[in-house]
Amino acid sequence: MPRLARFAALLGGLILSAPLLAQDIDPAGYGYPLENPFEATIATTPPELRPPLPTDEDIDQSDYSLKLRPEREFELPSNFWPVKTLRYRLARQDKPAPLIFIIAGTGAHYSNSTMEFLKKLFYGAGFHVVQLSSPSSWDFMAAASRFATPGLSTDDADDLYRVMQAVRAQHPKLPITEFYLTGYSLGGLHAAFVSQLDETRRSFNFKRVLLLNPPVNLYTSVTNLDRLVQTRVKGIDDDNTFYEVVLAKLTRYFQQRGYIDLNDALLYDFQQSRQRLSNEEMAMLIGTSFRFSSADIAFTSDLINRRGLITPTKYPIDEGTDLSPFFKRALQCDFDCYITEQLIPMWRARYDGGSLTQMVNQVSLYALEEYLKTSDKIAVMHNADDVILGPGDLGFLRRTLGDRLTLYPLGGHCGNLNYRVNTKAMLEYFRG
Amino acid sequence: MVRHCRFLAFALLFGHGLVMAETDEDGFKRPLDQLKINPALDQREFERATLQALNVYDPWDSWNRRVYHFNYRFDEWVFLPVVRGYEFVTPRFVRSGVSNFFGNLGDVPNLLNSLLQFKGKRAMQTTGRLLINTTIGVAGLWDPATRMGLPKQREDFGQTLGFYGVPDGPYLVLPILGPSNLRDTGGLVVDFTAESQINFLNVSEVSSDHPEILGLRVIDQRYTTNFRYGQVNSPFEYEKVRYVYTRARELQIAE
């Protein structure tokens, strides 16, 4: 009998001490209709499966601007006038309410469609909402970033934290009960670093932090994105570039339909027509949009820091200057090129940095492993078919977060954010 | 149940052609493994395509860029504040009435240009729209035609010129009106002249005495246009807008 009791105690101890398992959403019951990760990434959720949202007219919102880096007024050329102050958007409730900060993804503006969607979702659930541009976006780099060389997550989080504090200071009368934080894609990674920073600076004491489809290893993610423009697309030859192949399909589709009608359902209808895009074409499209981001980052970082890699350092630029030659040069620079030519040299010069691997470990979620393990207020939602992940990334999240990781079987990169099942889970997490 | 069936239809349609990806021990599906990727990773198709796309004939580039910046400021400081005021003082049904009314006027040039391009079906549909919306829709304040399956189909004189093979000429940014090119600017003048000659519903004649009607039309135009400067959020917004405008016009002419 005592042996049995001892055995029971051992068994009980084993069960209790075993790591909590991630919440894997069962594919059969999930019901998300797009099984193709590329299609999901581009088209997101069909309109009838999205949650009900408040309309813009129901939302009390305005754009504000912050002057955080007054010296940039003089350092930046005059055609940068729209980004000499940092804009953000605040939607306010008419009564005391919790406030949520939303951080945008790679290169994204505070008012892009995903940000507007998240704003409506959280506003409808009773939050004040602040939308912030990504530290990797043109406006943030010019107006708020100290070094204007995004990619070092701790620096980016520091810049973001100053912005958040300035936002708070600009609205002293806004009745806020608690602070929450979220971000999607690269913004998710930033949210984790901001949350860690807040543990020491204590301006907000975030109650809960949710990372949506964050990169785990930043280098894996940007390598994946760089690879997407290397797919083999049929029909490309000397006379037809990739854009022409896609546009020709679109033209034929509209001709068969008889008229042009741009709306949310268009993408689904298009993908069911004979002109539907192949996986390679969709991958190329996704890759293209990220290449435009990397071109913007490379150009802006080089110009603000006067590195002379893309724009000659003394080149006179005003509102009439043709930027095409610099655009053409910046286009040749993918994320890997930006890291090699600008990020690593800056990191080595400023922080006495070492190898690429060391830097990758510092800027990825690995750097926060202990913090993520012990902080119950942080959760991650991710997809099993996300194109920014590599082998082993989900294993890291499972080990580190346990049951605070929710893994959806489908959705590509952020494609299921606006699916009703996901939005319900997001709101439930914040409501506690 | 119906919704369930729709799920199933969606799943079947989208699922076909895709090999169900197997998952590794972490549950990761390795989506990139499905792609045919150039093994040497030295394909320069993105660069080639984009460099070619940047080749838009734009000899008045410097002037255009200054006008673009002027328009950007005008939009921020005048246009959008006025539109916000308009949204504030009018209920939504009034605004949609205004949009429908001016939209109905716009169907006159749509009809003419459809005829000029021998697009018989489109001309019939637009005629149907004009008849229905002007009568049942009370001078165009409502748009019952769209609900009856006659969608609005824009055709302007720039498109007609393009249909007859007139090249688009230099890219041109018009003050306040935004991106255009020489051909489409000519088309705009023709459409405007035609409209005041036809004087449909007497609007053109009354507008000459009451400039506020023209003002309302301009505000409505901005109200119904979704574009916001800065939302592309790129130092190369000018180049991107230029490309999209040029390609969108080509698409409209081809269709």
Side-chain angles (χ1 to χ4, degrees):
Chain A
M1 193 63 194
R3 188 179 290 169
L4 196 67
R6 238 180 296 161
F7 179 68
L10 178 71
L11 200 70
L14 275 176
I15 290 169
L16 286 176
S17 66
L20 289 164
L21 295 176
Q23 301 174 37
D24 280 274
I25 304 299
D26 176 26
Y30 183 45
Y32 185 74
L34 307 188
E35 302 216 357
N36 181 320
F38 307 103
E39 230 160 47
T41 306
I42 294 175
T44 76
T45 310
E48 66 271 21
L49 300 179
R50 296 178 191 173
L53 295 172
T55 62
D56 269 324
E57 300 192 11
D58 302 329
I59 301 176
D60 177 12
Q61 56 182 340
S62 292
D63 289 4
Y64 300 87
S65 70
L66 294 169
K67 196 164 211 159
L68 294 158
R69 311 228 62 85
E71 78 280 9
R72 295 269 161 87
E73 181 78 37
F74 311 104
E75 289 173 5
L76 292 174
S78 60
N79 62 353
F80 272 57
W81 67 269
V83 291
K84 289 184 177 177
T85 57
L86 183 76
R87 301 265 189 96
Y88 66 93
R89 189 166 289 175
L90 166 69
R92 57 174 84 217
Q93 306 281 347
D94 52 8
K95 51 185 183 294
L99 182 143
I100 186 163
F101 288 103
I102 313 175
I103 307 169
T106 309
H109 193 236
Y110 65 82
S111 72
N112 82 355
S113 56
T114 310
M115 295 294 280
E116 284 294 290
F117 161 75
L118 289 171
K119 185 257 307 291
K120 286 175 185 166
L121 178 70
F122 292 120
Y123 190 86
F127 289 84
H128 303 296
V129 183
V130 172
Q131 298 162 246
L132 299 175
S133 289
S134 166
S136 61
S137 69
W138 181 53
D139 56 336
F140 193 103
M141 286 169 74
S145 172
R146 285 162 302 152
F147 309 129
T149 310
L152 302 179
S153 302
T154 39
D155 277 348
D156 293 342
D158 202 326
D159 291 334
L160 270 169
Y161 204 78
R162 288 159 202 254
V163 170
M164 290 173 177
Q165 286 172 319
V167 169
R168 180 76 192 93
Q170 205 169 28
H171 305 279
K173 288 187 183 148
L174 189 68
I176 301 168
T177 52
E178 283 144 346
F179 288 95
Y180 292 83
L181 177 63
T182 190
Y184 71 90
S185 188
L186 184 62
L189 179 73
H190 287 142
F193 278 86
V194 167
S195 174
Q196 191 206 28
L197 198 59
D198 187 54
E199 301 298 338
T200 49
R201 297 202 186 161
R202 293 275 165 200
S203 284
F204 302 105
N205 290 312
F206 294 113
K207 193 156 179 235
R208 274 165 197 267
V209 180
L210 180 60
L211 324 184
L212 301 165
N213 297 60
V216 174
N217 179 325
L218 197 53
Y219 193 65
T220 304
S221 298
V222 298
T223 310
N224 281 1
L225 296 174
D226 283 345
R227 269 167 68 97
L228 290 179
V229 294
Q230 299 291 343
T231 52
R232 289 182 164 163
V233 175
K234 279 192 200 123
I236 292 179
D237 52 38
D238 285 350
D239 301 321
N240 288 301
T241 67
F242 167 65
Y243 298 152
E244 271 145 18
V245 169
V246 172
L247 283 171
K249 284 193 167 192
L250 211 58
T251 312
R252 283 196 293 275
Y253 165 76
F254 281 128
Q255 276 169 343
Q256 280 158 11
R257 238 171 86 121
Y259 58 93
I260 297 178
D261 181 19
L262 295 173
N263 56 38
D264 281 342
L266 169 81
L267 284 164
Y268 305 96
D269 193 51
F270 180 66
Q271 277 306 84
Q272 287 172 50
S273 73
R274 285 180 53 202
Q275 307 298 340
R276 68 205 302 278
L277 298 181
S278 68
N279 281 349
E280 281 71 26
E281 286 164 336
M282 288 189 284
M284 190 93 171
L285 269 183
I286 300 167
T288 297
S289 105
F290 279 98
R291 277 298 292 271
F292 280 118
S293 298
S294 76
D296 289 353
I297 293 172
F299 169 78
T300 313
S301 184
D302 171 72
L303 182 73
I304 295 177
N305 292 291
R306 303 280 189 272
R307 296 195 177 108
L309 296 165
I310 291 167
T311 317
T313 43
K314 299 255 165 77
Y315 194 87
I317 295 180
D318 64 19
E319 288 181 9
T321 308
D322 182 9
L323 295 182
S324 306
F326 311 126
F327 191 19
K328 285 176 184 164
R329 258 187 242 173
L331 281 173
Q332 326 266 340
C333 196
D334 59 9
F335 285 113
D336 198 51
C337 146
Y338 166 72
I339 291 172
T340 325
E341 290 188 356
Q342 305 199 45
L343 187 60
I344 288 207
M346 177 268 202
W347 174 64
R348 287 191 177 140
R350 197 175 285 279
Y351 298 106
D352 198 19
S355 68
L356 173 68
T357 323
Q358 278 176 313
M359 193 191 75
V360 171
N361 283 331
Q362 280 183 21
V363 302
S364 303
L365 275 186
Y366 306 143
L368 301 179
E369 186 169 356
E370 281 311 305
Y371 176 63
L372 294 174
K373 262 185 189 158
T374 51
S375 285
D376 284 339
K377 67 180 183 186
I378 298 185
V380 175
M381 292 186 183
H382 229 305
N383 298 332
D385 60 351
D386 195 322
V387 294
I388 70 165
L389 293 181
D393 286 352
L394 287 177
F396 171 83
L397 290 176
R398 283 175 192 277
R399 283 196 306 280
T400 328
L401 291 139
D403 67 339
R404 287 175 285 123
L405 168 69
T406 310
L407 189 66
Y408 295 99
L410 297 169
H413 184 54
C414 297
N416 53 353
L417 284 187
N418 53 355
Y419 177 43
R420 278 201 297 244
V421 174
N422 289 60
T423 55
K424 191 161 164 262
M426 281 148 68
L427 292 179
E428 265 169 21
Y429 175 69
F430 281 118
R431 286 198 189 110
Chain B
M1 188 58 209
V2 176
R3 175 153 287 160
H4 231 84
C5 288
R6 220 185 306 161
F7 276 16
L8 205 68
F10 249 108
L12 284 173
L13 278 163
F14 280 93
H16 99 97
L18 175 78
V19 190
M20 258 314 278
E22 60 251 56
T23 54
D24 64 14
E25 68 270 22
D26 295 330
F28 181 50
K29 290 187 182 168
R30 301 179 179 240
L32 259 55
D33 289 0
Q34 310 169 16
L35 298 173
K36 288 187 213 62
I37 286 183
N38 175 31
L41 298 183
D42 57 357
Q43 169 177 284
R44 312 278 292 166
E45 181 54 26
F46 166 78
E47 291 84 344
R48 184 178 79 107
T50 312
L51 289 177
Q52 213 179 80
L54 275 170
N55 278 334
V56 176
Y57 183 49
D58 189 1
W60 305 322
D61 174 90
S62 184
W63 153 263
N64 281 342
R65 281 176 199 270
R66 285 177 205 281
V67 177
Y68 159 81
H69 280 285
F70 167 80
N71 286 350
Y72 195 155
R73 290 193 173 93
F74 184 80
D75 205 51
E76 298 262 293
W77 298 343
V78 183
F79 240 160
L80 292 179
V82 168
V83 168
R84 275 194 290 271
Y86 173 64
E87 283 175 342
F88 185 73
V89 296
T90 54
R92 191 201 287 248
F93 76 93
V94 171
R95 293 198 296 275
S96 65
V98 169
S99 299
N100 288 336
F101 179 76
F102 289 123
N104 191 45
L105 294 185
D107 267 342
V108 175
N110 290 346
L111 172 60
L112 288 179
N113 287 300
S114 299
L115 286 173
L116 286 173
Q117 296 172 49
F118 309 113
K119 291 182 176 164
K121 192 180 161 204
R122 186 162 298 184
M124 293 293 285
Q125 286 177 340
T126 307
T127 310
R129 279 183 59 85
L130 271 166
L131 289 174
I132 293 166
N133 284 346
T134 311
T135 54
I136 304 174
V138 194
L141 289 174
W142 280 271
D143 181 11
T146 301
R147 239 169 281 161
M148 291 157 99
L150 294 173
K152 190 172 183 70
Q153 305 183 60
R154 289 175 202 285
E155 290 288 346
D156 56 47
F157 197 68
Q159 271 164 269
T160 302
L161 289 174
F163 176 80
Y164 286 103
V166 178
D168 46 8
Y171 182 69
L172 184 61
V173 182
L174 298 174
I176 303 184
L177 296 173
S180 185
N181 54 45
L182 202 57
R183 179 195 64 206
D184 293 343
T185 307
L188 212 63
V189 174
V190 172
D191 281 328
F192 187 76
T193 319
E195 212 186 290
S196 55
Q197 289 301 314
I198 293 166
N199 194 18
F200 181 57
L201 298 177
N202 226 13
V203 173
S204 298
E205 199 182 305
V206 178
S207 303
S208 58
D209 296 332
H210 295 274
E212 61 271 20
I213 295 180
L214 188 68
L216 184 62
R217 189 169 190 171
V218 172
I219 295 170
D220 172 64
Q221 186 69 43
R222 187 68 191 105
Y223 168 69
T224 50
T225 307
N226 279 324
F227 180 77
R228 292 287 180 274
Y229 284 95
Q231 212 165 21
V232 180
N233 203 25
S234 163
F236 308 114
E237 187 172 75
Y238 174 87
E239 284 82 355
K240 290 176 184 177
V241 169
R242 184 175 70 184
Y243 176 71
V244 168
Y245 177 79
T246 310
R247 275 304 144 113
R249 290 299 288 178
E250 276 172 24
L251 198 66
Q252 284 166 355
I253 289 165
E255 166 275 339

